[in-house]
Amino acid sequence: MSVIEAVRGDLTVQRADALVNAANSTLLGGGGVDGALHAAAGPELLEACRRVRRTQYRDGLPVGEAVATEAGQLPARWVIHTVGPNRHRGQDDEALLAACYLRSLDVATELGAHTIAFPAIGAGAYGWDPVTAARVAVRAVADHPRIGIERVSFVLFNDQLLDAFRTELKGLQR
Ligand code: AR6
């Protein structure tokens, strides 16, 4: 059994085996949590992402897919990069947003990670409202077998998101 929790905070300072990045398909950085993770990790993270682009994902990481790299200077062993659907481009399929969480947990399990921390994927530049982002995230994580994973943390950047995630987590206990 793993603990699933929601906390308010900055993902870049969380101690976890794996930190999940809400990236874009290029894997070459951006704004939001992606920019913050790259800034805190240092150039090794970008170099690791470039390696992924040269080898595994030459055309970029597809929406809903996930891939791991080392974590540079971050307080984690791995960064798991995933790409949420961009509502501003008409990508409004909740199953693709759920896939970000499910595939990230698959990758974490393959790596042998025991603890993993997620941001609210899609809830910034990609335009998902907090309530939908939280519902899809919490249900996806709850549905995953999470073999070997002891703790899943959602690290939320503002109170509105924290409330939305906490409400969904309470719903799981009923
Ligand atoms: N810690 C935790 N959460 C954060 C942090 C942080 N340090 N910084 C921002 N957030 P976004 P997306 C929150 O835009 O919607 C990037 O440019 C933020 O408040 O980071 O999936 C990528 O390169 C929001 O609630 O990710 C892509 O191009 C949540 O993280 C695009 O944005 C997600 O917002 C991806 O957009």
Side-chain angles (χ1 to χ4, degrees):
M1 271 287 282
S2 46
V3 171
I4 308 176
E5 63 174 14
V7 297
R8 189 176 164 161
D10 177 352
L11 188 67
T12 65
V13 299
Q14 302 299 312
R15 289 193 173 278
D17 293 336
L19 302 180
V20 177
N21 183 15
N24 59 64
S25 287
T26 72
L27 293 181
L28 301 179
V33 74
D34 190 8
L37 284 168
H38 275 279
E44 286 159 66
L45 184 60
L46 185 57
E47 192 39 55
C49 289
R50 289 206 171 106
R51 244 182 343 261
V52 170
R53 285 296 309 276
R54 283 198 298 270
T55 55
Q56 260 178 293
Y57 288 105
R58 297 181 72 92
D59 296 329
L61 186 67
V63 175
E65 195 44 79
V67 68
T69 64
E70 61 245 53
Q73 305 304 309
L74 289 164
R77 288 183 69 182
W78 302 284
V79 173
I80 298 174
H81 308 263
T82 189
V83 182
N86 186 348
R87 286 195 67 103
H88 300 307
R89 292 198 182 149
Q91 298 170 342
D92 57 2
D93 183 358
E94 292 183 8
L96 276 177
L97 183 58
C100 293
Y101 291 92
L102 297 168
R103 288 292 302 134
S104 294
L105 287 167
D106 289 345
V107 170
T109 304
E110 285 158 20
L111 291 167
H114 299 305
T115 54
I116 181 169
F118 286 97
I121 298 164
Y126 283 179
W128 289 79
D129 70 90
V131 170
T132 308
R135 174 172 49 77
V136 172
V138 168
R139 289 189 188 172
V141 169
D143 283 347
H144 193 279
R146 306 190 302 282
I147 307 293
I149 295 186
E150 290 154 17
R151 192 188 71 216
V152 178
S153 306
F154 294 109
V155 181
L156 292 326
F157 221 38
N158 62 53
D159 284 334
Q160 197 188 7
L161 276 164
L162 181 64
D163 287 351
F165 274 76
R166 290 215 161 139
T167 301
E168 288 300 325
L169 286 173
K170 277 193 199 120
L172 285 184
Q173 287 153 13
R174 280 201 292 271

